[in-house]
Amino acid sequence: MPPPTRSKAPVNGTAPGTPRESRDGSGPSTGSRRRARSVGRMRVGEIQRARILLAMSELVRERGAAGVTVAHVVSRSGVSRRTFYELFADREACFLAAFDSAVTAGRERMAAAHASEAPWRERIRAALLAALEFLDAEPELGYLCVVGALSGGQRSLERRAEVLGSLIDALHQGRPDGKSPAVERVVAEGVVGAVLSVIHARLVEQSLGRRREPLIELLNPLMGIVVLPYLGSVAARRESARPAPKLEPPVKQHVDPLRELDMRLTYRTVRVLLAIASTPAASNREVASAAGITDQGQISKLLARLQSLGLIQKTSGDHTRGERNAWSLTTKGHDVTATIQTQPAG
């Protein structure tokens, strides 16, 4: 009988079939190159999508939903028309995605503020405050949600109606029990409609440059509108007389630091930036290995390009003694890399 077949023992602790580094330990394995390419493509796709959605929201505020074309979005976002159509079927699909992204951002803030054990009135006040702070910090997104969706087409109107329905349900179902007579759902519809009407008018005036006052100043009067049908006129007057909320500089979260760069965002540039971020003071060879790039001429060109853009810097050693370059991110490079690493998919 033939001797039993033995499986090959792992080499250097690596199971058979597992990709390994090159013999000198400097080259990237097939597996690491594939992972690097996958990460690069994923992050570039997410960033390009987010840039398109941000451009759409800005343009809707500037031109109105009906006045925005694919050409406008492509020009503002800095992506190619081909990339646009790889991500969105048409202009309407892009608009709806921007609307959904904006609504999600606002809803998350409101939900976090509303989630407490406080009395109904305080929870509603906290949620309304979060909404007004969001509108002040992200005027383009707020305009898209409240104003732009009205002229975005039938599907946009349907999507907007769904959002309003959820707000009305939350207000009606959470109304204070035992403190008011039976209140029909239509009252909640009227309250939400009245609040949105005031906000709508202010957003339009701001977009036209006619008003500069922050929307947070509406908190007390809007709360008076909300509580009036549920708790009565005395409670409404108390809300209007409460101390004014503290005004803080709005913190804008949806920004695009890549827009001002004279740089075409590619899978390779993303991989190189991420590689340097994860391995500061890396040499050319180490950056290439971490980024999954085998061509040393290509990595040299990429590093030189990123250095010329002010994203990375190097400490040059004495090459006559065989000392290597050591690459690290600049402050600008850290900002851009942070955007790449945390960019939402939209």
Side-chain angles (χ1 to χ4, degrees):
M1 294 179 63
T5 302
R6 296 182 181 180
S7 60
K8 294 183 180 180
V11 179
N12 295 330
T14 303
T18 301
R20 291 181 294 159
E21 302 291 329
S22 61
R23 291 185 179 180
D24 63 1
S26 60
S29 68
T30 302
S32 66
R33 290 197 299 270
R34 287 175 179 170
R35 286 191 297 273
R37 285 195 293 269
S38 176
V39 170
R41 290 190 180 94
M42 178 178 66
R43 298 311 295 159
V44 169
E46 291 172 353
I47 293 165
Q48 302 290 50
R49 186 174 189 275
R51 297 178 80 179
I52 290 171
L53 297 185
L54 180 59
M56 172 63 80
S57 65
E58 293 174 348
L59 289 164
V60 167
R61 188 169 186 248
E62 295 170 11
R63 308 177 66 92
V68 179
T69 66
V70 171
H72 292 139
V73 176
V74 166
S75 176
R76 175 66 61 88
S77 63
V79 304
S80 68
R81 182 177 287 267
R82 175 181 177 181
T83 297
F84 179 93
Y85 283 110
E86 286 175 351
L87 296 170
F88 302 101
D90 52 28
R91 191 205 71 92
E92 184 183 28
C94 178
F95 179 88
L96 291 173
F99 175 78
D100 288 340
S101 178
V103 167
T104 298
R107 180 180 285 165
E108 287 176 351
R109 292 198 185 189
M110 293 179 67
H114 187 266
S116 72
E117 299 300 325
W120 173 83
R121 178 166 51 180
E122 296 306 318
R123 286 185 285 117
I124 293 297
R125 183 181 180 85
L128 181 56
L129 173 60
L132 295 174
E133 289 176 335
F134 168 73
L135 295 173
D136 281 335
E138 307 284 358
E140 295 85 6
L141 302 187
Y143 187 96
L144 177 64
C145 292
V146 179
V147 183
L150 289 172
S151 55
Q154 184 61 36
R155 291 174 64 191
S156 171
L157 290 174
E158 292 172 356
R159 200 75 59 88
R160 183 179 185 274
E162 293 174 3
V163 174
L164 290 183
S166 65
L167 293 175
I168 292 167
D169 288 339
L171 183 62
H172 179 64
Q173 295 168 5
R175 66 193 184 283
D177 296 327
K179 295 185 179 181
S180 63
V183 179
E184 298 293 337
R185 186 177 184 276
V186 69
V187 173
E189 294 180 29
V191 169
V192 172
V195 169
L196 279 180
S197 178
V198 174
I199 292 174
H200 180 284
R202 295 297 192 279
L203 289 173
V204 171
E205 290 173 340
Q206 286 182 352
S207 70
L208 297 174
R210 296 174 183 171
R211 276 185 179 269
R212 296 186 179 277
E213 299 88 349
L215 292 176
I216 194 176
E217 292 183 354
L218 295 173
L219 177 62
N220 286 353
L222 291 180
M223 273 301 297
I225 294 174
V226 173
V227 304
L228 178 60
Y230 297 103
L231 301 178
S233 58
V234 174
R237 287 195 298 271
R238 287 175 180 169
E239 287 298 325
S240 297
R242 289 180 69 160
K246 185 178 180 181
L247 298 180
E248 300 284 355
V251 179
K252 190 176 183 66
Q253 296 181 343
H254 293 76
V255 295
D256 184 8
L258 306 179
R259 181 173 293 172
E260 303 304 321
L261 293 177
D262 180 21
M263 165 183 151
R264 180 170 174 263
L265 193 67
T266 66
Y267 307 138
R268 291 185 178 88
T269 54
V270 168
R271 279 151 42 192
V272 169
L273 284 171
L274 293 177
I276 295 173
S278 63
T279 54
S283 67
N284 290 33
R285 189 178 295 274
E286 289 169 337
V287 172
S289 177
I293 297 173
T294 57
D295 188 326
Q296 289 301 310
Q298 185 181 84
I299 193 64
S300 296
K301 291 180 180 178
L302 285 170
L303 291 169
R305 177 64 170 153
L306 294 173
Q307 184 182 26
S308 70
L309 292 169
L311 299 178
I312 62 174
Q313 57 192 356
K314 70 175 178 177
T315 302
S316 297
D318 186 347
H319 292 189
T320 61
R321 298 181 180 180
E323 296 178 0
R324 65 179 192 173
N325 292 332
W327 294 99
S328 60
L329 298 177
T330 62
T331 300
K332 184 178 180 181
H334 278 292
D335 291 341
V336 170
T337 305
T339 298
I340 292 172
Q341 291 173 322
T342 62
Q343 182 71 64

